Amino acid sequence: MDNLTEIKLSVRSFVEFLHRHGDIDSQFMKSQRAVEGTKAHQKVQKSYSESDYLAEVPLKYSLSYKSFNFIIEGRADGIFTNHDEFPVIDEIKSTTRPLEDLPASGYTVHWAQAKIYAFIFATQNNLSQIGVQLTYFQLETETVQHFREIYLLSDLKTYFHTLLDHYLNWAKLETSSRITRNQSIKNLSFPYPNYRKGQRQLAISVYKTIVEKQKTFIQAPTGIGKTISTLFPAIKSIAEHQTERIFYLTAKTIVREVAEESLNTMANKGLLLKSITLTAKDKICFLETRICSPEHCTYAKGHFDRVNDALYDLLNSNNQITRRLIEDFSRKHRVCPFEFSLDLAAFCDVIICDYNYVFDPRVSLKHFLGDSKNTVFLIDEAHNLVDRGREMFSAQLSKKMILDLKRQLKGEDKKVLSSLKNLNSLMLNLKKNSENKSLSVLSEEPKELEGHLYHFISTAEEWLTENESHPYHAELLAFYFLALAYLRTGEFLDERYITYVENSGNDTRIKRFCLDPSKLLSQSLNTAEATLFFSATLSPLSYYSELLGGKEENYHLLFPSPFNKKRRALLIANNISTKYTERENTKNYIAALIDATVSSKTGHYLVFFPSYQYMNMVYENFIARFPEHNCLKQEAEMTEGDREIFLNQFRIDSESELIGFCVLGGIFSEGVDLAGDSLIGSIIIGVGLPQICSERDLIKDYFNLKNHQGFDYAYVYPGMNKVFQAAGRVIRTETDQGLILLIDSRFSHNRYQKLFPQDWFPQQIVTTTDDVKNFSNAFWQGQED
């Protein structure tokens, strides 16, 4: 037995995988369906008067079968231990369908689940026969229907082995993949001839973190090779049985592409490992308007009849599963690409995806994590997770949205309209009680709000179920989910939250705002054995460690830049204020500083501004005064295609001049790789402070009380992170050379200087355009020498 390959299966997933069929039909399902199902189980279990009835019985069984050691386990809903002279397994299922509409003897998949429980229990208790009962509980009427059969153990054994035979191809596929994967990992060497400075130490630290089941926060500068330095040791740990699955989590598509490239590099060196990149449902759906029903989508119709063949086809012939591959096989087998990708991920060793798949309580892949914690999280660009965490754990309601729904549904269901009317009245009272202040923090939660929301959800569920084709179905459904999210945050409320009412224009909003996401992030992190947070701009480490759920015992690592400082110039124009009130007066000087910088050497430059308004103001001034320069500008609304066109202009014809005007913290200031002469200079106007607003001030007040660092936590640290990211676009490789000009008097203040990376010293202060020209010319002349 020791030499047999071990296959672990849960009873429910095992039978559902083998028996699934039919359509995807995402018709509205009640939000409380799972909760109602649990309550239904409990009601049925309590209704039995027999003293020999056992509820929620864990069962586990191991057997050697055809070159495999199968371990299958689950939990039986109930067992009558001595019913009619022999035990009876009770499998309880809740349903919204009328009981008379059920199949004559129940569903095959439910019998399969119950029969496996019966086989395990009978085998372990030396029973020659055993009863099996299916119990269906109708959720609306609370009526019950039973189906019961008696089975010989020999028949159950034959049935169980028949199911295993159907699963053998999947077991062989999994085993073959595991064997070839582990052997390829053991033979895999670091995919480059040499480690960069600090890279080997980084890789060793990642492996140590995984072995010790720790959390580590790493600031490693651009150019050290963070992606390969984290993926390589994590993959090595799989063959050493230190982990089973790696989640590579990112905030941006372009970073996911870098992870794919690293896996491809290792695959070219012999790595045989299954990986997948998950794409959001709206992006990967083949329909212009996503409607997941068999009437509207041919990929939804019969999806489950074909999906296992599609899985086997793709998995048997591919390792690195990209979006294009998923789409190709989805079309080939006519299956939904999004649902197909989730099924594929269950077979993969590395899953590349957005943060929300792990952290967002609304969409996280809990079935991936489940009871098994043998998972590693690699969290790239981890500085983004602080604000993303706040966003995922907060929720708000809008009076305008409620009022619009009232008007749209006028004359419809009276219960829904009455519920919306009550919510609108409550929002009016909140507005009145706030005395029309722009923002009013509530000392306690509005007493009636949750009751009105629960009533709305109850009435809306019935209407949504019966009115799928109504023209305003989508609008009511959207608000329904907002109401659910608002109620869900009630489970999390503590001193890290604040509830406020905001009046803006003709709208009033109430928001449960997560000031400090550390606790909730930490709870999600506990589903993994080890976690690596890494970024080029995780400074100060203590701040990010605190807000990302770190503990005192976690590791903090700071790596120096591997590049020669002489290949980069850092100039600071510290004689100008770019604060909001000064911007109109500074546009001429800013434009002149840009001209002085780009005139020193023909090439490609990016200029970053704290807002679109400031950018547009200086841009108009610049092109009017210096029309000889070739410029382009970031627009507020840009599609993925627009962004690619913008970046491609930097990637071609590096000999010509090109100046890109962009917004600090925007799509071109982070995660953009313009190596070599694609970019030779970055000009950054302002210290990047987020716009002063009520929410930022609430964060400031919270941390002032907690640690007396409110302004830094709310404004300075997030702002300087944007500056570091924008500056990091310039030097990407060991052969790159470039210039960074920081424009703002605050860059010379100690509050900001102490955050500068070590390699940003020494600096060159410039106070005139002539200074900029002279020092820039001297730098470029030095590069030629």
Side-chain angles (χ1 to χ4, degrees):
M1 181 180 294
D2 291 343
N3 295 324
L4 299 182
T5 301
E6 185 176 276
I7 302 290
K8 293 182 180 179
L9 300 166
S10 76
V11 173
R12 180 169 181 171
S13 61
F14 174 54
V15 299
E16 288 182 349
F17 181 77
L18 293 177
H19 284 86
R20 58 183 176 172
H21 65 90
D23 310 324
I24 294 175
D25 194 348
S26 297
Q27 288 188 10
F28 174 77
M29 297 293 289
K30 290 185 177 181
S31 66
Q32 302 299 313
R33 183 69 174 83
V35 176
E36 290 176 343
T38 300
K39 291 179 178 178
H41 279 55
Q42 294 170 347
K43 286 182 179 180
V44 172
Q45 290 162 344
K46 289 178 180 178
S47 71
Y48 295 127
S49 59
E50 289 87 341
S51 60
D52 64 343
Y53 183 82
L54 302 176
E56 305 298 329
V57 181
L59 296 170
K60 185 175 182 178
Y61 182 69
S62 300
L63 80 159
S64 300
Y65 186 74
K66 296 186 178 180
S67 303
F68 296 98
N69 182 35
F70 286 99
I71 299 174
I72 188 162
E73 57 187 325
R75 187 181 296 271
D77 294 327
I79 301 178
F80 298 94
T81 56
N82 192 24
H83 192 79
D84 292 339
E85 299 183 357
F86 52 80
V88 175
I89 300 295
D90 188 31
E91 181 65 23
I92 304 168
K93 299 295 180 184
S94 59
T95 180
T96 56
R97 297 183 62 178
L99 293 178
E100 57 269 23
D101 290 347
L102 293 173
S105 58
Y107 289 97
T108 303
V109 65
H110 298 157
W111 280 114
Q113 190 174 347
K115 285 161 72 173
I116 291 180
Y117 289 138
F119 166 70
I120 295 173
F121 188 82
T123 301
Q124 293 177 341
N125 291 274
N126 298 315
L127 304 173
S128 60
Q129 63 180 359
I130 189 171
V132 176
Q133 176 175 287
L134 286 188
T135 299
Y136 288 97
F137 181 91
Q138 215 290 330
L139 288 166
E140 302 295 333
T141 63
E142 297 195 358
T143 53
V144 176
Q145 184 170 354
H146 300 289
F147 299 100
R148 182 176 293 183
E149 296 287 346
I150 299 172
Y151 292 96
L152 296 174
L153 175 60
S154 58
D155 292 336
L156 290 174
K157 182 177 182 180
T158 300
Y159 176 74
F160 180 48
H161 286 186
T162 300
L163 290 182
L164 288 179
D165 286 335
H166 287 311
Y167 193 78
L168 280 178
N169 280 342
W170 296 99
K172 292 174 182 175
L173 177 63
E174 181 181 344
T175 301
S176 174
S177 296
R178 190 187 305 174
I179 291 171
T180 56
R181 176 200 69 191
N182 288 352
Q183 190 59 51
S184 74
I185 292 174
K186 289 176 181 178
N187 294 335
L188 182 68
S189 299
F190 191 69
Y192 297 105
N194 299 298
Y195 285 95
R196 292 176 180 173
K197 182 181 177 182
Q199 196 170 30
R200 183 178 178 83
Q201 183 186 350
L202 174 55
I204 291 171
S205 300
V206 170
Y207 188 82
K208 182 180 179 182
T209 298
I210 295 170
V211 171
E212 295 184 5
K213 305 185 189 309
Q214 257 282 9
K215 295 183 182 70
T216 297
F217 295 82
I218 302 169
Q219 177 168 297
T222 299
I224 201 171
K226 293 183 292 295
T227 305
I228 195 71
S229 303
T230 51
L231 273 171
F232 175 72
I235 288 169
K236 277 291 189 181
S237 75
I238 292 177
E240 300 296 329
H241 308 294
Q242 298 294 338
T243 190
E244 294 176 0
R245 178 179 286 124
I246 300 164
F247 275 82
Y248 195 96
L249 303 166
T250 76
K252 298 180 182 293
T253 301
I254 194 165
V255 182
R256 293 195 279 277
E257 291 172 357
V258 174
E260 287 181 338
E261 290 169 6
S262 295
L263 288 170
N264 190 52
T265 298
M266 288 185 277
N268 291 335
K269 297 292 183 179
L271 177 64
L272 299 171
L273 168 145
K274 294 198 181 297
S275 66
I276 188 169
T277 302
L278 297 179
T279 304
K281 183 184 289 188
D282 286 335
K283 288 187 177 181
I284 203 170
C285 179
F286 294 144
L287 304 183
E288 285 189 20
T289 303
R290 178 170 59 82
I291 304 178
C292 302
S293 69
E295 294 80 18
H296 294 91
C297 178
T298 59
Y299 298 95
K301 186 173 180 60
H303 166 91
F304 292 111
D305 297 326
R306 302 181 294 271
V307 69
N308 281 8
D309 288 340
L311 283 169
Y312 195 82
D313 188 11
L314 191 155
L315 290 168
N316 209 33
S317 56
N318 295 275
N319 284 321
Q320 200 171 342
I321 303 170
T322 61
R323 173 176 174 174
R324 181 172 181 177
L325 202 60
I326 292 167
E327 291 174 341
D328 288 346
F329 276 78
S330 295
R331 288 189 172 95
K332 176 182 177 181
H333 290 273
R334 285 193 303 115
V335 294
C336 167
F338 180 72
E339 294 296 332
F340 183 39
S341 70
L342 296 185
D343 278 345
L344 286 164
F347 292 88
C348 289
D349 309 296
V350 178
I351 300 170
I352 304 169
C353 59
D354 188 87
Y355 297 151
N356 60 5
Y357 286 98
V358 166
F359 297 107
D360 194 326
R362 293 163 290 189
V363 296
S364 64
L365 297 177
K366 290 182 172 57
H367 63 287
F368 277 93
L369 305 171
D371 297 327
S372 172
K373 291 178 63 178
N374 205 4
T375 297
V376 168
F377 293 156
L378 303 180
I379 303 178
D380 199 352
E381 303 290 353
H383 59 274
N384 287 308
L385 188 53
V386 175
D387 282 338
R388 281 289 299 274
R390 287 194 177 106
E391 177 188 332
M392 288 186 283
F393 302 134
S394 299
Q396 66 179 11
L397 301 171
S398 159
K399 179 186 178 302
K400 184 177 184 302
M401 194 172 187
I402 295 168
L403 193 58
D404 288 345
L405 280 170
K406 269 186 63 185
R407 292 167 178 160
Q408 291 163 348
L409 298 175
K410 188 176 181 180
E412 297 290 337
D413 188 283
K414 292 182 179 179
K415 293 180 181 178
V416 174
L417 285 171
S418 175
S419 182
L420 289 169
K421 181 179 178 181
N422 289 336
L423 283 170
N424 187 58
S425 297
L426 188 143
M427 296 295 283
L428 279 171
N429 287 335
L430 289 173
K431 180 178 181 179
K432 181 180 177 181
N433 293 337
S434 67
E435 300 176 344
N436 289 323
K437 294 177 183 176
S438 59
L439 187 139
S440 179
V441 176
L442 302 183
S443 58
E444 59 181 21
E445 294 287 314
K447 294 180 180 178
E448 297 178 330
L449 180 55
E450 286 205 354
H452 284 321
L453 287 174
Y454 278 118
H455 183 259
F456 163 74
I457 285 168
S458 176
T459 58
E461 282 175 343
E462 185 176 347
W463 188 90
L464 288 164
T465 304
E466 297 172 356
N467 294 274
E468 289 283 335
S469 59
H470 193 281
Y472 292 114
H473 184 276
E475 284 80 356
L476 187 65
L477 184 62
F479 183 70
Y480 170 87
F481 284 124
L482 289 176
L484 279 179
Y486 193 90
L487 288 171
R488 189 183 294 112
T489 58
E491 304 169 20
F492 310 140
L493 294 182
D494 59 13
E495 72 279 3
R496 298 169 184 83
Y497 271 83
I498 200 164
T499 302
Y500 68 80
V501 174
E502 184 178 36
N503 297 302
S504 177
N506 63 345
D507 197 14
T508 296
R509 297 184 303 136
I510 183 170
K511 184 170 185 177
R512 285 172 168 170
F513 180 47
C514 180
L515 299 160
D516 177 0
S518 59
K519 179 182 177 182
L520 295 173
L521 289 174
S522 180
Q523 289 174 359
S524 295
L525 294 172
N526 288 338
T527 59
E529 288 278 17
T531 301
L532 281 300
F533 300 88
F534 51 99
S535 169
T537 58
L538 214 57
S539 177
L541 275 170
S542 57
Y543 161 78
Y544 285 103
S545 175
E546 179 184 349
L547 290 205
L548 293 174
K551 306 294 182 186
E552 199 171 308
E553 64 271 17
N554 298 153
Y555 297 132
H556 292 183
L557 299 175
L558 183 63
F559 288 87
S561 173
F563 300 142
N564 185 345
K565 288 195 292 185
K566 293 181 179 179
R567 299 185 71 83
R568 190 218 58 230
L570 180 67
L571 311 182
I572 300 179
N574 69 348
N575 62 332
I576 179 172
S577 170
T578 66
K579 292 180 179 179
Y580 183 78
T581 55
E582 302 290 336
R583 290 178 183 174
E584 178 66 35
N585 300 326
T586 61
K587 60 185 180 183
N588 286 336
Y589 186 44
I590 296 288
L593 287 173
I594 296 170
D595 172 66
T597 305
V598 302
S599 297
S600 62
K601 180 178 173 63
T602 300
H604 295 174
Y605 296 82
L606 287 175
V607 188
F608 295 98
F609 292 83
S611 70
Y612 280 100
Q613 183 182 20
Y614 199 10
M615 177 187 72
N616 289 329
M617 182 191 304
V618 175
Y619 176 80
E620 295 299 330
N621 183 285
F622 184 82
I623 61 174
R625 293 172 59 200
F626 307 104
E628 68 273 16
H629 293 301
N630 182 29
C631 303
L632 69 162
K633 180 166 62 79
Q634 177 183 344
E635 301 298 336
E637 299 292 334
M638 297 182 77
T639 65
E640 287 188 20
D642 294 335
R643 299 173 195 177
E644 196 60 28
I645 291 171
F646 185 98
L647 289 174
N648 281 339
Q649 293 184 67
F650 285 86
R651 293 176 178 134
I652 59 176
D653 192 14
S654 59
E655 299 292 325
S656 65
E657 181 192 70
L658 184 62
I659 307 165
F661 284 68
C662 303
V663 174
L664 194 60
I667 53 177
F668 300 119
S669 67
E670 183 174 341
V672 172
D673 195 7
L674 296 172
D677 290 336
S678 295
L679 187 70
I680 64 168
S682 181
I683 302 170
I684 301 166
I685 294 97
V687 292
L689 300 189
Q691 184 176 354
I692 292 176
C693 67
S694 300
E695 281 196 351
R696 284 285 158 185
D697 283 344
L698 290 172
I699 296 170
K700 179 187 70 174
D701 294 342
Y702 170 81
F703 283 104
N704 271 339
L705 288 173
K706 185 176 181 181
N707 59 19
H708 308 293
Q709 297 184 73
F711 187 72
D712 287 342
Y713 273 47
Y715 291 100
V716 175
Y717 297 160
M720 284 301 290
N721 195 286
K722 298 176 188 176
V723 172
F724 297 146
Q725 283 289 330
R729 297 314 97 209
V730 180
I731 305 294
R732 309 297 297 178
T733 71
E734 295 173 350
T735 59
D736 286 3
Q737 52 189 2
L739 183 148
I740 299 167
L741 172 62
L742 307 178
I743 303 175
D744 195 292
S745 58
R746 288 168 289 185
F747 282 121
S748 291
H749 296 178
N750 182 59
R751 173 175 241 155
Y752 298 91
Q753 284 270 318
K754 68 182 181 181
L755 299 176
F756 280 16
Q758 191 175 21
D759 65 299
W760 276 25
F761 298 94
Q763 309 141 2
Q764 182 61 59
I765 303 299
V766 290
T767 57
T768 66
T769 55
D770 285 341
D771 284 348
V772 173
K773 289 179 182 178
N774 292 335
F775 285 115
S776 298
N777 288 333
F779 168 72
W780 291 118
Q781 183 63 45
Q783 299 306 302
E784 293 175 6
D785 295 342

